[in-house]
Amino acid sequence: DSEEPKSPSFQMVAHVYNVSQNLTADQTADALFWRAIPGVTIGGHWVSILQQVLKQTNSRLDKAALAYAVTGACLNDAAISVFKTKYTYNLVRPITYIRNVMGFTTWNSVLTTPAHPEYSSAHAVASSAISDAFTAVFGNIGSFTDHTYDYLGFAPRTFSSFRAIGEDAGNSRVFAGIHYQPSVDIGLIQGRKVTANILRRLGLH
């Protein structure tokens, strides 16, 4: 029944299609802001954010060393967790379903669809994992503005909390047309569990 219009699967994909037909300028900018560009992966973007946070908080060397270590551990474990999930469930990407089942044969996502299974969202898992780690290390620093892509002419994005950064990164993948909303929502929870495990083992939780 996954191809029936009233089925949860069809409705899940239809949401991505409907979003793609009504993208706002900010949603498109969000999708492009969180794409992986040559030389800057998901991890690279978060390391850039970390460098900016260290400067904003005037952190000492010991805190910087801890932050880099925890960030690296979160990136590593998030990648293991998400790719184990992807190849366990092997869920088809939106572009395949939209073209082959819904019949919109010329539809394209904003970003090129990665060549690996859809569920769960790697951006959501990694970004929620690291954003929770930042909260544990730095606490609540208030407003933060990410200037990572100023040099490319992208407008900086401002966030009210670390968790808000992770959520923005995750949701950007729906706007990009390469993930379903449940894959992002579950991915955010998955990433937080990855970090909770790391922090617990480090005695920081």
Side-chain angles (χ1 to χ4, degrees), residues 102-125:
M102 298 179 71
F104 300 107
T105 56
T106 60
W107 184 88
N108 272 312
S109 50
V110 173
L111 300 184
T112 302
T113 297
H116 50 72
E118 191 275 344
Y119 178 85
S120 52
S121 164
H123 260 68
V125 176

Side-chain angles (χ1 to χ4, degrees), residues 15-26:
H15 173 257
V16 175
Y17 177 79
N18 291 335
V19 167
S20 77
Q21 301 305 295
N22 299 281
L23 282 174
T24 66
D26 184 65

Side-chain angles (χ1 to χ4, degrees), residues 28-97:
T28 301
D30 192 15
L32 296 175
F33 191 80
W34 286 104
R35 65 178 171 171
I37 66 171
V40 184
T41 59
I42 299 174
H45 191 162
W46 276 100
V47 168
S48 170
I49 292 173
L50 173 56
Q51 291 172 344
Q52 295 171 73
V53 170
L54 290 170
K55 291 178 181 178
Q56 180 172 322
T57 56
N58 294 311
S59 293
R60 294 169 58 89
L61 180 60
D62 55 348
K63 177 168 282 190
L66 174 64
Y68 273 108
V70 173
T71 298
C74 287
L75 276 171
N76 181 74
D77 285 14
I80 293 171
S81 177
V82 75
F83 278 94
K84 170 66 174 178
T85 304
K86 284 179 180 293
Y87 285 97
T88 296
Y89 294 96
N90 203 31
L91 186 61
V92 66
R93 289 277 183 170
I95 194 169
T96 302
Y97 195 106

Side-chain angles (χ1 to χ4, degrees), residues 135-189:
T135 301
V137 173
F138 297 102
N140 178 12
I141 67 168
S143 178
F144 169 79
T145 300
D146 182 5
H147 291 280
T148 295
Y149 295 125
D150 286 5
Y151 76 101
L152 289 177
F154 285 86
R157 296 183 71 81
T158 299
F159 307 95
S160 60
S161 67
F162 290 129
R163 180 162 286 194
I165 307 175
E167 291 172 351
D168 190 63
N171 287 323
S172 76
R173 311 313 266 178
V174 177
F175 303 145
I178 61 176
H179 275 299
Y180 309 119
Q181 191 66 55
S183 299
V184 170
D185 296 342
I186 297 298
L188 292 172
I189 296 170

